[in-house]
Amino acid sequence: MPQSKKKKNNKSASGMGNIRKKTVRKGDREYEYWEARYTVGFDPGTGKQVQKSVSGKTQKEVAQKLKAATAALDDGTYIAPNKMTVAQWLDIWQANYLKGVKPSTVSSYQATIKNHIKPNIGAIRLDALTTHDIQEFYNKRFEGDGNRPPLSAKTIKNIHGVLHKALQQAMLNNYIRANPSNPCILPRVTKKKIKPLNEHQIADFLKGIKGNKYEKMFLVALFTGIREGEVCGLQWECVDFTDGTILIDKQLQSLRSGVRGDKEKYELVPTKNGKERTITAAPYVMDILWKVKKEQDLNRKSNSDLFQENGLVFTDEFGIRITPQALYRAFKLVVCELGMPTVRFHDLRHSYAVISLKSGDDVKTVQENLGHATAAFTLDVYGHVTEKMKKDSANRMEAFIKSVS
């Protein structure tokens, strides 16, 4: 009997599905590989089958990939393969999924993606990105990689925050099966010790700002604990001279376009945590604000044709806003002249908190004035002050016991 013909190469082994050997030419050479096609569904517009393919060097490899794909289709866990890179997805994510995020936060995300994430893992295919790839990226940048200096634990944490959010959205979009950044281990962030001004430094600071263009802004910030952007964005409608209160519900913030040469723009946006708070200010502070109002009224009359009405408390003689950057530069100039170059504007806020606690304010009141989310957070930041208060309380009790014994 004549022998049966051998199976052609483009036929798959029994039970393997539609697996074929294919040839591709690159230059003067031909390369062979195996490919299998499978149906993932139907086009809702045309009703035609939607097919995908898997390929590999051997028939066995392709058969395994085909089996895994069809099993995933059966149990509803299938995710279609795509060739999108991490960098391409990050571009899509930035353009479409950050619409409700504060402009300054968007700017920070963009810088993190551009300077850290894309140069390190941007070229990897999104669906091929692994936990190990990300962990290795974090470790190298934390320890120092080649000529690049090491990044701080806080910076690594910030990078992880951005990457995790982007990958979480990719998972929700069914581009990846799971978020590979979830199991990553981050370096421990060491909490920096706060450096409030002591009584002598505050006295020197008050003398040093006498007659300064921004003196009243410095004083309001020091004795209310409000932030740079909040003092710059304070509006008259939020100042109640009758009740002696100040409503903090917005801040002046820079809107960076990221394009070199573009003029920097500013906008009033919600506070850092999005919550408003009302501060009952010391009469001294309200007197300062009243003087500012009178000065602004005079400037309005003197420069009636040029004065800009924007409702802001702190402006120049023409009603033009004072930016946080200008305020900070003026502050640094003052403290450097006083021999305190390491003091930051934010240390005025810390100083206010410490003064309040030492003066006998309860932690809940200080928390609400500062706009912290919880009293526990305030205690965590200023716990050393409350510990001293406890010792002072114990000493007062000791003095009382001795007086009655």
Side-chain angles (χ1 to χ4, degrees):
M1 291 179 64
Q3 290 184 349
S4 60
K5 294 181 180 180
K6 291 183 178 180
K7 291 182 179 179
K8 294 181 181 179
N9 284 337
N10 65 344
K11 292 293 184 181
S12 63
S14 176
M16 288 295 186
N18 189 21
I19 304 176
R20 299 174 182 274
K21 182 182 283 187
K22 305 191 78 173
T23 303
V24 62
R25 177 177 290 275
K26 291 185 179 180
D28 297 331
R29 299 186 62 182
E30 287 188 347
Y31 298 89
E32 292 183 340
Y33 67 97
W34 291 84
E35 182 187 72
R37 297 186 66 80
Y38 57 97
T39 300
V40 297
F42 295 88
D43 188 301
T46 63
K48 294 181 179 179
Q49 290 183 347
V50 176
Q51 291 195 321
K52 297 289 182 180
S53 65
V54 289
S55 60
K57 292 181 180 180
T58 65
Q59 186 182 35
K60 182 179 180 181
E61 177 188 352
V62 173
Q64 290 173 340
K65 289 182 178 180
L66 179 62
K67 183 178 180 181
T70 53
L73 282 167
D74 289 340
D75 62 24
T77 61
Y78 175 78
I79 294 177
N82 65 75
K83 297 182 180 180
M84 181 167 36
T85 64
V86 172
Q88 289 170 332
W89 166 243
L90 289 171
D91 288 340
I92 294 170
W93 180 68
Q94 290 177 86
N96 296 279
Y97 294 94
L98 298 179
K99 301 300 182 183
V101 180
K102 291 180 182 178
S104 62
T105 305
V106 173
S107 178
S108 174
Y109 285 2
Q110 290 171 340
T112 297
I113 289 168
K114 178 183 177 183
N115 298 329
H116 300 296
I117 301 177
K118 280 186 176 182
N120 289 280
I121 58 173
I124 301 175
R125 260 181 55 165
L126 180 63
D127 59 3
L129 183 67
T130 66
T131 299
H132 181 71
D133 293 329
I134 301 170
Q135 187 69 60
E136 192 172 49
F137 157 42
Y138 292 164
N139 293 348
K140 283 183 177 180
R141 296 305 293 116
F142 180 64
E143 296 163 2
D145 184 15
N147 295 324
R148 296 184 297 178
L151 299 176
S152 68
K154 182 68 165 60
T155 301
I156 296 295
K157 182 180 178 181
N158 292 341
I159 293 170
H160 176 74
V162 176
L163 182 60
H164 182 271
K165 285 183 176 71
L167 293 177
Q168 193 68 14
Q169 189 62 55
M171 186 185 74
L172 294 173
N173 288 16
N174 282 330
Y175 294 146
I176 53 178
R177 196 178 305 279
N179 188 334
S181 69
N182 279 340
C184 287
I185 298 172
L186 305 181
R188 184 178 179 181
V189 178
T190 304
K191 186 171 66 176
K192 290 184 179 180
K193 188 176 180 180
I194 65 169
K195 297 179 180 179
L197 278 66
N198 59 40
E199 292 181 11
H200 296 297
Q201 288 175 315
I202 290 175
D204 290 341
F205 178 71
L206 295 180
K207 291 177 184 177
I209 62 175
K210 282 286 186 183
N212 189 287
K213 179 181 178 181
Y214 303 105
E215 178 184 2
K216 293 181 177 64
M217 296 183 76
F218 294 147
L219 291 172
V220 170
L222 174 60
F223 295 124
T224 63
I226 63 178
R227 302 177 177 92
E228 289 169 62
E230 292 171 346
V231 70
C232 291
L234 183 62
Q235 292 185 299
W236 287 117
E237 65 182 17
C238 297
V239 178
D240 189 331
F241 288 105
T242 303
D243 291 340
T245 60
I246 304 171
L247 173 66
I248 307 299
D249 63 350
K250 59 183 75 70
Q251 59 180 327
L252 186 65
Q253 197 170 82
S254 170
L255 298 177
R256 298 181 180 88
S257 67
V259 179
R260 184 173 293 179
D262 276 9
K263 188 176 180 180
E264 196 161 21
K265 298 179 180 179
Y266 294 87
E267 185 177 274
L268 288 172
V269 299
T271 57
K272 186 176 181 181
N273 61 5
K275 295 180 180 179
E276 62 180 43
R277 65 190 190 276
T278 300
I279 299 171
T280 300
Y284 175 82
V285 173
M286 300 309 294
D287 287 342
I288 291 173
L289 293 174
W290 183 255
K291 290 175 183 177
V292 172
K293 192 174 190 307
K294 291 302 179 184
E295 289 173 5
Q296 196 176 89
D297 288 341
L298 289 174
N299 287 329
R300 185 180 288 105
K301 290 178 182 179
S302 302
N303 306 300
S304 57
D305 294 336
L306 300 173
F307 196 86
Q308 297 184 17
E309 296 292 350
N310 51 31
L312 291 172
V313 171
F314 295 105
T315 66
D316 66 8
E317 62 269 30
F318 299 106
I320 298 173
R321 63 176 171 256
I322 306 298
T323 68
Q325 286 76 7
L327 182 64
Y328 185 79
R329 285 194 296 268
F331 173 80
K332 291 303 291 184
L333 186 60
V334 169
V335 294
C336 284
E337 289 175 349
L338 292 172
M340 301 184 289
T342 60
V343 175
R344 307 167 304 157
F345 192 94
H346 200 74
D347 292 329
L348 296 182
R349 180 172 164 85
H350 290 318
S351 302
Y352 165 79
V354 171
I355 293 168
S356 298
L357 289 168
K358 285 185 175 180
S359 298
D361 288 351
D362 63 273
V363 172
K364 184 64 178 175
T365 299
V366 176
Q367 172 231 324
E368 291 176 350
N369 285 342
L370 292 173
H372 287 164
T374 64
F377 178 83
T378 306
L379 275 172
D380 184 51
V381 176
Y382 303 106
H384 66 289
V385 179
T386 56
E387 287 302 318
K388 184 179 183 302
M389 290 165 64
K390 289 177 184 177
K391 290 179 181 178
D392 291 343
S393 175
N395 291 335
R396 287 193 297 270
M397 180 58 69
E398 178 69 13
F400 173 78
I401 293 170
K402 288 181 178 179
S403 69
V404 296
S405 298

